[in-house]
């Protein structure tokens, strides 16, 4: 991997991590379209540490408050009903599915799931799911001629059951093309949460999973068949800077805008990818072996 490739891939990671279009798919597709070697899951996981660091800084006040309340709830029973303490427990509960499935499906994540036909399928299918979830939220918010606007749930209403559902949605993002934010936000909207609440919990829920995955993959970074460590760290820094700008914009965007532009983009990209692979313009295993 050259420094130029590292810069471009770090830029792609930062631009796509928080948008519901799948950063792992875009890293894979960028390499395939540019005829570069697939940077691999270790590169993806480590560069995500950069974007999650952006989340830590952007939500720093919330995170400090949640961690503080959670630790106090361990010894003070009165704190166990506190919303921030509950959020700490709900983030832990929601992280269980991806932790278990990430270990169980590691071999598939590194190989089978990176097939471009799989990515094309998940881009289209999850695009349709996001579109349905977005339309339902818009209908509730706007009401209609014969129905009043429906009050949607906030994070105050988050339960253990809903936290686990969010967690299962997040675990689906182990397959490139699904999108961590797209899956969890879709799940939240379908469960009746507001756009902002769904996105906020989605980003908080991602922190332990992404940081743990990145640290776990550090042992493989720079090894045989993996992107060099120096270039990977450079891409991580780029991803952090770009990611911070994107998350600030996205949180403002979702407060009043529809997800339909992302839905259309996902479906079109998936269809184009199917066409290119079907016409043998692009191999489903293009650049399959990651390299230095």
């Amino acid at each position: 991997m050259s420094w130029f490739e590292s810069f471009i891939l770090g830029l792609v990671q930062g631009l796509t991590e928080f948008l519901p279009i799948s950063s792992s798919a875009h890293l894979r597709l960028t390499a395939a379209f540019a005829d570069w070697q697939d940077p691999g899951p270790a590169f993806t996981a480590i560069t995500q540490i950069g974007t999650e660091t952006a989340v830590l800084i952007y939500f720093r006040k919330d995170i400090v408050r949640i961690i503080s309340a959670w630790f106090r709830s361990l010894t003070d029973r009165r704190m166990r009903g506190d919303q921030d303490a509950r959020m700490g427990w709900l983030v832990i509960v929601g992280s269980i599915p991806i932790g278990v499935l990430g270990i169980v499906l590691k071999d598939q994540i590194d190989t089978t799931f990176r097939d471009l036909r799989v990515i094309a399928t998940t881009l289209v299918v999850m695009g349709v799911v996001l579109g349905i979830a977005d339309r339902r939220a818009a209908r509730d918010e706007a009401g209609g001629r014969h129905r009043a606007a429906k009050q949607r749930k906030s994070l105050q209403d988050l339960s253990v059951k809903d936290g686990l559902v969010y967690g299962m949605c997040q675990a689906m993002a182990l397959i490139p093309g699904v999108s961590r934010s797209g899956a969890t936000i879709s799940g939240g909207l379908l469960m009746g949460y507001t756009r902002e609440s769904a996105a906020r919990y989605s980003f908080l829920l991602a922190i332990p999973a992404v940081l743990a995955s990145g640290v776990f993959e550090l042992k493989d970074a720079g090894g045989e068949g993996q992107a060099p460590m120096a270039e990977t760290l450079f891409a991580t820094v780029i991803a952090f800077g770009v990611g911070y700008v994107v998350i600030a914009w996205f949180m403002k965007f979702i407060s009043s805008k529809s997800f339909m532009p992302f839905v259309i983009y996902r479906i079109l990209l998936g269809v184009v990818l199917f066409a290119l692979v079907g016409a043998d313009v692009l191999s489903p295993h293009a650049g399959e072996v990651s390299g230095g």
Side-chain angles (χ1 to χ4, degrees):
M1 175 183 288
S2 68
W3 288 101
F4 176 72
E5 290 175 40
S6 175
F7 173 79
I8 295 299
L9 293 173
L11 185 65
V12 170
Q13 168 63 28
L15 285 171
T16 59
E17 173 66 18
F18 303 117
L19 305 181
I21 56 176
S22 179
S23 61
S24 57
H26 279 75
L27 288 175
R28 176 80 176 89
L29 293 177
T30 299
F33 286 140
D35 198 25
W36 298 338
Q37 289 181 306
D38 179 3
F43 178 90
T44 300
I46 293 169
T47 54
Q48 284 177 337
I49 293 178
T51 44
E52 285 312 303
T53 302
V55 173
L56 290 173
I57 294 176
Y58 186 83
F59 289 112
R60 61 190 179 278
K61 292 181 180 178
D62 292 23
I63 293 169
V64 169
R65 197 176 62 247
I66 290 168
I67 292 175
S68 174
W70 182 80
F71 272 111
R72 281 185 287 150
S73 73
L74 295 177
T75 56
D76 186 347
R77 289 186 172 221
R78 293 172 298 177
M79 287 295 299
R80 293 176 187 176
D82 180 84
Q83 176 61 24
D84 290 323
R86 287 185 68 253
M87 180 57 68
W89 285 112
L90 289 168
V91 167
I92 293 172
V93 168
S95 300
I96 293 172
I98 197 171
V100 173
L101 292 176
I103 294 172
V104 172
L105 300 175
K106 187 179 188 310
D107 289 342
Q108 288 82 0
I109 293 168
D110 292 349
T111 54
T112 308
F113 292 167
R114 301 185 75 78
D115 187 305
L116 296 184
R117 291 165 297 190
V118 173
I119 293 175
T121 301
T122 54
L123 282 169
V124 173
V125 171
M126 287 306 300
V128 172
V129 172
L130 178 61
I132 293 172
D134 184 69
R135 287 292 297 273
R136 180 175 294 184
R139 187 177 59 206
D140 287 349
E141 292 164 357
R145 178 180 297 180
H146 302 296
R147 67 177 186 278
K150 183 178 179 181
Q151 183 69 35
R152 303 207 112 221
K153 295 189 284 187
S154 71
L155 291 184
Q156 300 283 340
D157 303 306
L158 190 62
S159 64
V160 171
K161 177 185 174 182
D162 287 356
L164 283 172
V165 172
Y166 267 110
M168 291 302 297
C169 292
Q170 177 177 236
M172 293 170 59
L174 292 168
I175 307 174
V178 170
S179 169
R180 186 189 312 274
S181 64
T184 50
I185 289 173
S186 294
L189 293 179
L190 290 172
M191 288 189 289
Y193 287 87
T194 65
R195 299 169 193 272
E196 185 177 0
S197 294
R200 185 172 290 268
Y201 183 61
S202 170
F203 294 146
L204 291 175
L205 184 61
I207 293 172
V210 170
L211 294 181
S213 175
V215 171
F216 178 78
E217 293 287 358
L218 277 173
K219 69 181 188 321
D220 295 327
E224 183 178 355
Q226 298 293 333
M229 175 60 85
E231 284 84 341
T232 299
L233 293 179
F234 175 62
T236 302
V237 173
I238 298 298
F240 161 72
V242 176
Y244 187 86
V245 174
V246 171
I247 192 174
W249 170 82
F250 186 64
M251 290 304 294
K252 292 179 181 178
F253 175 87
I254 61 171
S255 63
S256 59
K257 305 293 184 181
S258 166
F259 287 115
M260 289 310 294
F262 302 113
V263 171
I264 295 170
Y265 172 77
R266 288 182 64 105
I267 294 174
L268 288 178
L269 179 59
V271 170
V272 168
L273 188 54
F274 269 127
L276 291 175
V277 172
D280 289 329
V281 174
L282 198 62
S283 166
H285 306 290
E288 192 173 56
V289 180
S290 58

